[in-house]
Amino acid sequence: MPNPSIKDEKTYEELREQGASKEKAARIANAAAGQGRKAVGRRGGKSGSYDDMTKQELYDRAKKVGIKGRSDMSKDELIDALRNH
């Protein structure tokens, strides 16, 4: 049964099979459905390396994407949480 909040079910399922979280797969699938896969693909991969960011920058990014427990995390833990979110 398709999920009504997912606009591109095929892309969502492919991302889940590749190991993406439900939230991340839904964000990408919905963006691809709304803007086209080529536009979303071109936009991806332009972010800097997490290793080059300060702990505060990592914390701010974790806050933006809703990672819980971020205030108790070390820089390495923040990096891991962001990569696996």
Side-chain angles (χ1 to χ4, degrees):
M1 178 169 139
N3 184 336
S5 65
I6 305 298
K7 295 179 178 116
D8 185 344
E9 195 73 34
K10 181 181 177 188
T11 300
Y12 174 81
E13 290 301 328
E14 289 172 359
L15 291 165
R16 290 290 292 145
E17 288 173 9
Q18 293 172 11
S21 69
K22 290 179 182 180
E23 182 180 346
K24 183 174 183 177
R27 282 196 318 261
I28 294 169
N30 289 342
Q35 301 164 9
R37 289 182 180 154
K38 284 186 179 182
V40 173
R42 280 193 304 267
R43 191 173 61 228
K46 296 180 183 176
S47 178
S49 171
Y50 287 139
D51 296 317
D52 296 335
M53 293 181 177
T54 65
K55 183 177 177 184
Q56 185 62 48
E57 290 170 325
L58 293 166
Y59 175 86
D60 292 342
R61 184 162 291 193
K63 183 177 181 180
K64 184 177 179 180
V65 297
I67 294 175
K68 296 193 185 309
R70 63 189 172 270
S71 62
D72 295 327
M73 293 182 183
S74 67
K75 180 176 179 177
D76 289 336
E77 290 170 326
L78 286 165
I79 290 170
D80 186 55
L82 287 164
R83 285 184 176 152
N84 296 306
H85 176 70

